[in-house]
Amino acid sequence: MARVVVDVMLKPEILDPQGQAVQRALPRLGFAGIADVRQGKRFELELEGPVDDAALARIREAAETFLANTVIEDFTVRVEEDGK
């Protein structure tokens, strides 16, 4: 089976309060030097068949219509190689 990963992130111009909360907490926990944190979502899809152009097009359509709110979020689709 092949794995396709869809990463969803808030667009850069959209405020990320969860990311800001994490960024403020990190120095208090001993993790200094981190200037910014943005939080997102990762979806791992296991495909039954080959990862061809048609399969990737279906996954992009699913990401655009269901996995991401494209008004405020961007997404990327990539094939994950074995062992990574």
Side-chain angles (χ1 to χ4, degrees), residues 1-82:
M1 275 200 264
R3 176 178 293 164
V4 177
V5 176
V6 179
D7 290 309
V8 180
M9 295 292 295
L10 286 172
K11 292 182 176 183
E13 63 272 16
I14 302 298
L15 183 66
D16 183 359
Q18 265 186 302
Q20 289 176 339
V22 170
Q23 190 274 328
R24 286 190 304 269
L26 287 170
R28 292 192 307 267
L29 298 170
F31 300 101
I34 298 173
D36 191 30
V37 175
R38 303 282 293 174
Q39 181 172 319
K41 299 177 278 192
R42 173 184 164 114
F43 297 92
E44 296 181 357
L45 300 115
E46 299 285 340
L47 300 186
E48 293 177 347
V51 181
D52 55 15
D53 289 342
L56 288 174
R58 287 193 315 271
I59 291 170
R60 283 188 189 93
E61 181 181 5
E64 189 169 357
T65 59
F66 181 67
L67 301 177
N69 177 350
T70 57
V71 173
I72 62 169
E73 295 173 319
D74 291 324
F75 67 88
T76 59
V77 175
R78 63 184 168 84
V79 178
E80 188 168 86
E81 301 298 325
D82 291 334

